[in-house]
Amino acid sequence: MPNPPSFPLTFYPAYCFSLSPTHNTWARLTASDVHALRERTGFEGQNLYFHLNHPIKWIRLVGVIVALDILPTRWIALLDDSSGATIEITCARPAPKPTTRDASTTSLPEDPRLLSRLDASCKGVTATGRDVDLSGVDVGTVVKVKGGVGSFREMRQMLLERISTIRTTNEETAAWAENTAFRREILSTPWVVSEKDEKRAKRKAEGLDREKRAREEREKRKRREEEKGAKRAAAEKEKRRGERTRRGQEQVRKEDEAGVSRRRGNAEHRHRRRDVEKARRPKSEVSES
């Protein structure tokens, strides 16, 4: 890691990061480089760090595994790349299924490190949710690892995303040549963005922000319209239910009135018939009655 320059560095806004040669790529660093990365106010908790003024989120390291712990839910390796520092590489892993002794008891290996030997198909789950095959990696293995930058107890570490084994000297030499070229062409000097490019990036970011706000506003309007439509449908349904109830009540009322009219008409008919029959009787029967 080169010493910081004597002149002040220009740190560009986040909307310029898409122009950076280090932000959205695997930055070829060493372990000592990673430990020397700095944080900036406003980017805390984002696992975003800076070399000079280069924003760095993803890194690639090459080295030999000098220690390895495979715990029930975590894979931890210590990598030495001869840069004067070592760095932990960590990856989550699914808890192993317990070994059944009998129907009532289960057990796990007493020494968690034995899992590296017992679990032949060691699998890991990266911070971004990818599955990674960790089998075949042991102490003494030369590896090329890629991942994000994290911290544990104020110590930098790599959050593993990808790992591959380097099997030949030529392959290792090529990997180190890539590191040297990346340092010479990119990391050795501060990142510079022209005023024109910065303005263009700002306009693009503002345009994306406007599109995002417009999309969110459209979604809000759509949700409001859907809510209004649902309320109208519910009100219409309730109105139809009320109308059916009123029609039913009106039908019952009419039927009740018709029943009363029929009973009244029947009663009147009986009275008239009785009067007619009384009129037809002989006068003597009428007088006797």
Side-chain angles (χ1 to χ4, degrees):
M1 175 75 68
N3 293 326
S6 58
F7 53 87
L9 292 170
T10 300
F11 288 89
Y12 298 99
Y15 57 74
C16 290
F17 287 175
S18 61
L19 305 175
S20 166
T22 62
H23 181 248
N24 198 30
T25 189
W26 303 111
R28 275 69 169 171
L29 303 182
T30 65
S32 61
D33 291 338
V34 178
H35 289 299
L37 293 176
R38 296 184 297 276
E39 292 184 280
R40 289 282 299 174
T41 302
F43 297 99
E44 298 88 345
Q46 300 182 31
N47 289 338
L48 182 68
Y49 300 87
F50 291 84
H51 165 79
L52 298 180
N53 65 339
H54 294 281
I56 292 178
K57 187 176 181 67
W58 306 105
I59 60 174
R60 192 202 74 171
L61 303 174
V62 177
V64 61
I65 301 297
V66 295
L68 181 64
D69 286 341
I70 301 184
L71 307 177
T73 58
R74 187 154 293 276
W75 183 92
I76 304 172
L78 187 66
L79 183 135
D80 187 350
D81 60 1
S82 301
S83 65
T86 59
I87 188 169
E88 275 192 354
I89 304 168
T90 179
C91 182
R93 63 187 302 270
K97 295 181 180 179
T99 304
T100 304
R101 286 183 177 176
D102 53 48
S104 60
T105 62
T106 59
S107 66
L108 290 173
E110 294 181 359
D111 186 354
R113 291 165 180 80
L114 292 177
L115 291 171
S116 62
R117 307 298 182 266
L118 296 177
D119 189 0
S121 59
C122 182
K123 300 292 183 181
V125 180
T126 70
T128 58
R130 296 179 66 254
D131 292 335
V132 59
D133 185 5
L134 303 172
S135 62
V137 179
D138 209 337
V139 174
T141 305
V142 180
V143 294
K144 182 190 299 182
V145 287
K146 299 177 180 179
V149 182
S151 293
F152 180 70
R153 294 178 180 174
E154 299 183 354
M155 287 292 293
R156 295 278 189 272
Q157 59 180 195
M158 171 187 274
L159 308 178
L160 183 66
E161 286 290 329
R162 300 176 185 177
I163 185 168
S164 59
T165 302
I166 294 179
R167 303 186 183 279
T168 66
T169 303
N170 289 339
E171 189 178 353
E172 183 177 2
T173 301
W176 282 114
E178 291 176 0
N179 278 32
T180 301
F182 193 83
R183 177 181 299 277
R184 181 181 64 251
E185 298 170 5
I186 297 175
L187 297 180
S188 60
T189 57
W191 173 40
V192 178
V193 178
S194 68
E195 183 177 355
K196 181 179 179 180
D197 288 340
E198 184 175 356
K199 289 181 179 179
R200 184 183 298 114
K202 183 177 182 180
R203 287 195 300 270
K204 182 178 179 180
E206 290 174 347
L208 292 176
D209 288 341
R210 284 195 297 271
E211 290 178 4
K212 182 179 178 181
R213 288 194 297 269
R215 183 168 60 252
E216 290 174 348
E217 186 60 31
R218 287 194 298 270
E219 291 175 354
K220 288 181 181 179
R221 285 199 299 268
K222 183 179 178 180
R223 285 195 297 268
R224 285 196 297 266
E225 290 298 326
E226 289 175 349
E227 291 173 358
K228 289 179 180 178
K231 289 180 180 179
R232 285 194 297 268
E236 187 65 25
K237 184 177 180 180
E238 186 64 27
K239 181 180 178 181
R240 289 194 297 269
R241 184 185 296 113
E243 290 177 352
R244 287 195 299 269
T245 301
R246 285 193 295 273
R247 285 196 297 269
Q249 293 173 346
E250 183 67 19
Q251 183 66 23
V252 170
R253 185 184 64 79
K254 289 180 178 179
E255 290 176 355
D256 291 343
E257 291 178 352
V260 170
S261 298
R262 284 195 298 272
R263 289 193 296 273
R264 184 182 297 115
N266 292 338
E268 292 176 354
H269 178 71
R270 286 195 297 273
H271 289 312
R272 285 195 300 271
R273 185 173 181 179
R274 192 166 48 248
D275 292 341
V276 170
E277 290 177 351
K278 187 183 292 186
R280 288 177 179 177
R281 290 178 188 176
K283 292 183 178 180
S284 58
E285 292 181 2
V286 174
S287 60
E288 289 178 359
S289 62

